[in-house]
Amino acid sequence: MNSPSPSARARLRHALLRIGAGRHAPEADLRTDLECALSELAEEMLGERSRVGSVTLGSADHTWGRNLGLRLADHDVGLPNLLWRADGSALPTRVRETHPALRQDEWEAALLVGKLILTVLESEPDPDPDPEPEPVRDEAVPHPQRLPRPARAPGRESFCRSLTDIAEHGNPQDELTALLRTTLLAFASETPDNQEAAQHIAVLSTAPPQPAMRLCLSRSGLSLGQVLLSADGCPVPGSVLEEFPDLNQDEWNAVMHVTGLVLSAFETEPANAAGRLPHST
């Protein structure tokens, strides 16, 4: 696996954050930026194994409004929805072989945190889907889009900022961990599952000679992004197939690839690539 260039993570991070922050940006522009940045990081980290081309930026209408997020193009379903269906799925054999110290509860926490991060990066739902007199039309979607889209709610904004702080600010890792856990629960609500997952995660610094801040499992120190990327090729969970029987292996690989790459985008660059050392406690 190749090391990504210093700019690849940053470009994907910027494209992801624009989904919710680019209130005046046409949907097609956001989609192009996201797909290009995702493909670039995938090529460098996954090479020919990458299946991220199955994922795009799309819109969905909900009872609470219309928003933008990462979706499987051929199924028109959001990645968080697919990961929700994987709740409670068994730790895949291949992942266990790659990370022998990983436990079932940590695997479940990795999936839960992954889908919460994918969710928080979506645009704020627009409660009024009716178009204005002069809507901006996007050829890739069948209905008009309203601009500007709603601004991020405070809870969503705080969670996004805590993720960005991991990659862009040299704060002590304990401080970053506390902020991440607090904002995650403020955004997702303090249910028992979310509280348990929050305790399973931490922001930790990798060891020299390439120290970098990463979102990790607190007990084992394993990178969440690497754990999810190691699920490449693992069978589609039965609970997912029950809801989406036409989902194939390549598409499930795409879900794991994109989720892992999104988490990797919020890591700091290795110190010798970025030209600076992150702080640690």
Side-chain angles (χ1 to χ4, degrees):
M1 183 178 293
N2 299 324
S3 297
S5 68
S7 59
R9 283 191 180 95
R11 277 197 282 271
L12 178 55
R13 184 166 64 250
H14 175 72
L16 289 164
L17 292 169
R18 281 193 73 209
I19 297 172
R23 300 177 58 213
H24 296 269
E27 194 169 314
D29 291 352
L30 297 176
R31 181 181 302 109
T32 298
D33 286 352
L34 186 282
E35 290 179 349
C36 289
L38 189 58
S39 295
E40 179 186 10
L41 186 58
E43 181 178 353
E44 295 191 9
M45 292 188 71
L46 299 170
E48 295 181 356
R49 295 186 293 117
S50 171
R51 294 294 181 269
V52 302
S54 299
V55 174
T56 188
L57 179 69
S59 58
D61 291 309
H62 308 282
T63 56
W64 57 87
R66 177 174 178 264
N67 69 339
L68 301 177
L70 292 167
R71 306 178 69 78
L72 270 183
D74 289 345
H75 293 267
D76 193 28
V77 60
L79 266 58
N81 292 347
L82 289 162
L83 291 175
W84 282 117
R85 298 298 177 183
D87 270 355
S89 60
L91 175 60
T93 301
R94 181 174 298 183
V95 177
R96 183 185 295 111
E97 291 173 348
T98 305
H99 306 290
L102 189 68
R103 302 186 316 209
Q104 173 67 31
D105 57 346
E106 293 176 313
W107 169 247
E108 293 178 13
L111 289 176
L112 191 152
V113 172
K115 61 196 170 194
L116 289 177
I117 289 176
L118 291 173
T119 301
V120 80
L121 291 169
E122 295 178 343
S123 68
E124 199 68 38
D126 187 343
D128 182 7
D130 294 331
E132 294 179 339
E134 295 294 333
V136 177
R137 292 188 177 274
D138 184 341
E139 295 179 357
V141 293
H143 44 67
Q145 57 174 306
R146 283 165 33 98
L147 293 177
R149 286 176 285 271
R152 284 195 187 112
R156 189 182 294 265
E157 179 65 28
S158 295
F159 190 12
C160 286
R161 190 163 55 248
S162 71
L163 291 169
T164 305
D165 284 351
I166 299 172
E168 299 181 0
H169 295 275
N171 296 334
Q173 61 188 32
D174 287 351
E175 182 179 322
L176 292 170
T177 296
L179 180 62
L180 180 68
R181 290 173 175 174
T182 299
T183 57
L184 181 152
L185 292 174
F187 170 72
S189 76
E190 297 191 17
T191 64
D193 285 350
N194 290 342
Q195 289 179 324
E196 182 179 356
Q199 292 305 309
H200 275 303
I201 62 172
V203 179
L204 301 175
S205 178
T206 58
Q210 291 186 317
M213 289 295 190
R214 301 188 303 176
L215 179 56
C216 298
L217 290 165
S218 55
R219 184 189 66 87
S220 62
L222 295 171
S223 160
L224 284 182
Q226 292 301 321
V227 166
L228 293 174
L229 288 174
S230 71
D232 178 28
C234 294
V236 185
S239 56
V240 176
L241 286 175
E242 287 178 6
E243 184 70 19
F244 304 100
D246 295 331
L247 191 74
N248 62 42
Q249 184 64 54
D250 277 353
E251 290 167 331
W252 182 246
N253 288 347
V255 174
M256 292 291 98
H257 288 174
V258 171
T259 307
L261 291 171
V262 166
L263 296 181
S264 298
F266 290 94
E267 297 177 351
T268 59
E269 303 293 346
N272 66 348
R276 59 181 174 83
L277 288 174
H279 292 276
S280 61
T281 55

